[in-house]
Amino acid sequence: MLTILQLYWSFCKIGFTSFGGLSMIPLISSEMLSHGWMSASEVSDIVALAEMTPGPLGLNCATFAGIRVTGLLGALAANFGILTPTFTICAVAALFFERFKQSDILKGIMIGVRPVCIGLIWAVILNLGVSNYFADWTPQWGSMLVAVVGAYLLIRRKWSVPAVIVLAAVLGILVC
Amino acid sequence: MKNLKKAFSLYWYFFRIGWFTFGGGWSIVAQMQKDYVEARHEIEGQELLDIVSVGRSLPGTMIGNVAYLFGYHMAGVLGGILSVLGIITPPLIILSVLTVFYNNVKDNVLIAKALVGVRAVVAPVILSAVLKLHKGAFPQKLCFVLCGVSCLLSLFFHISCVLLVVLGILSGLLMNHHQKGGKTPC
């Protein structure tokens, strides 16, 4: 029981102090090592596994760590730990956002925030592009081909995202 | 009662697309854009972008926050909670199984190749969403500058997204102020 609470608390801290993605890794690593829940090589295993499977990195790490330490209950506790900011800070933000959406000030703020958010999404795309289509600056033609086919199907043929992802997995086996 | 039904349908929706959460959750945003903005017209592209902006700037996992904000918008608190639970169920199942079979999966060549393919398609998936979200997000010329600057700052100087959002908030307030002062902005 104590371990489950500790797992919850560790991932709760990780959730509150991180803003998504890879920024969680150092924290996860120090939490896991300090409790003796995992070795350093297991931590890099989690990151690899969490990166390659569907699901956000933080939640995947929580599940992996939870199961390794105490089983399914631990995984649930760790998942709820990492979601605590969502159910607290974000829940309050949702309340305020819905209430003040029509106010001039919030409307003004969003006029500045929307372009920033789009800029950040472009940064994600460019970052992914560099790491997925070039390995040490060698072009990965197979991956580029998959990307072109995917873009065509999504934008021109209006395929759904899951369908394109499944096709990309098949194409990956064939051409990558 | 109507909200209750809607909340459960949100759980089911996010449960179905949760199996395809790649690229830190951006693939989910892309699918939400296709389903709710384009097909069902239940939410405006701008509203979705607002939800993503807010969810991205709060602590925690982005997609959890986005699912909560979206669910809350559609069906209140229960809608928010069930959307989050819906989106986390598939990864929870997949990871639980994979953790057990980790050693078999880790070195499997076919799985590795399939994942190279999936990773290759994540950028176009996000691209397809962002192209749609552009609409209406740049009412003033200054917005393009803001977009370009934050993209570059994030890419080359690794400025945290929280700081950039604060920059957006301040610029938004300034632009608003200017407009009120009777000057035509840009």
Side-chain angles (χ1 to χ4, degrees):
Chain A
M1 192 60 210
L2 188 65
T3 332
I4 288 177
L5 285 177
Q6 279 175 335
L7 267 170
Y8 171 81
W9 180 236
S10 280
F11 277 94
C12 192
K13 281 191 280 182
I14 294 168
F16 272 107
T17 42
S18 65
F19 290 85
L22 301 171
S23 64
M24 289 182 175
I25 292 171
L27 272 159
I28 290 174
S29 161
S30 70
E31 285 291 323
M32 294 302 110
L33 296 179
S34 69
H35 286 92
W37 285 336
M38 254 174 236
S39 65
S41 75
E42 278 180 309
V43 171
S44 55
D45 274 358
I46 315 181
V47 175
L49 190 70
E51 286 252 280
M52 66 189 224
T53 46
L57 182 71
L59 287 172
N60 286 351
C61 286
T63 307
F64 185 90
I67 289 202
R68 279 284 167 103
V69 178
T70 55
L72 201 57
L73 261 181
L76 284 173
N79 266 279
F80 279 104
I82 210 153
L83 286 171
T84 306
T86 298
F87 289 132
T88 53
I89 296 182
C90 187
V92 174
L95 203 74
F96 277 93
F97 192 72
E98 290 293 325
R99 184 155 301 168
F100 296 109
K101 214 155 55 175
Q102 298 308 325
S103 85
D104 282 346
I105 295 185
L106 194 57
K107 274 187 187 164
I109 287 177
M110 292 320 290
I111 287 178
V113 172
R114 283 183 202 129
V116 168
C117 186
I118 290 193
L120 289 171
I121 304 178
W122 276 106
V124 171
I125 296 175
L126 294 172
N127 254 330
L128 283 172
V130 171
S131 57
N132 291 335
Y133 308 129
F134 298 93
D136 297 323
W137 298 107
T138 319
Q140 304 292 303
W141 299 114
S143 292
M144 288 187 194
L145 180 72
V146 175
V148 171
V149 172
Y152 171 74
L153 294 173
L154 279 163
I155 296 168
R156 292 272 151 190
R157 310 303 300 259
K158 310 276 175 211
W159 275 38
S160 76
V161 174
V164 170
I165 288 178
V166 170
L167 180 80
V170 176
L171 284 178
I173 293 174
L174 298 175
V175 300
C176 290
Chain B
M1 199 59 216
K2 203 177 137 222
N3 260 9
L4 194 71
K5 213 176 142 198
K6 201 155 194 185
F8 278 99
S9 78
L10 281 166
Y11 178 88
W12 178 233
Y13 175 74
F14 280 108
F15 175 77
R16 277 179 304 154
I17 62 171
W19 302 93
F20 302 94
T21 312
F22 286 98
W26 289 106
S27 62
I28 295 298
V29 175
Q31 187 59 29
M32 284 164 75
Q33 195 276 332
K34 269 181 183 291
D35 291 338
Y36 280 95
V37 180
E38 260 178 75
R40 302 194 207 171
H41 302 290
E42 282 186 48
I43 183 172
E44 297 275 319
Q46 259 186 37
E47 287 178 288
L48 182 63
L49 183 58
D50 289 351
I51 285 173
V52 173
S53 310
V54 176
R56 180 82 181 77
S57 7
L58 296 173
T61 49
M62 178 193 84
I63 201 60
N65 291 345
V66 168
Y68 185 88
L69 290 163
F70 182 79
Y72 184 83
H73 175 80
M74 300 301 257
V77 175
L78 194 64
I81 293 174
L82 285 179
S83 298
V84 175
L85 295 181
I87 198 110
I88 69 158
T89 312
L92 190 64
I93 295 173
I94 294 176
L95 250 285
S96 305
V97 175
L98 276 186
T99 305
V100 178
F101 296 104
Y102 180 53
N103 290 326
N104 310 8
V105 173
K106 192 167 61 169
D107 304 317
N108 188 306
V109 183
L110 279 184
I111 292 180
K113 282 189 165 195
L115 287 164
V116 171
V118 170
R119 272 201 291 271
V121 91
V122 170
V125 163
I126 306 173
L127 182 76
S128 73
V130 79
L131 290 177
K132 293 281 166 47
L133 294 176
H134 272 210
K135 199 179 144 197
F138 303 94
Q140 304 178 18
K141 278 182 197 147
L142 200 60
C143 296
F144 287 103
V145 179
L146 210 51
C147 174
V149 167
S150 40
C151 179
L152 294 177
L153 285 177
S154 159
L155 261 186
F156 296 109
F157 300 98
H158 305 285
I159 308 279
S160 101
C161 71
V162 181
L163 279 179
L164 292 171
V165 168
V166 172
L167 173 83
I169 292 176
L170 295 177
S171 328
L173 287 172
L174 273 176
M175 285 190 270
N176 204 25
H177 186 71
H178 257 259
Q179 224 166 7
K180 287 236 178 83
K183 291 173 197 165
T184 30
C186 318

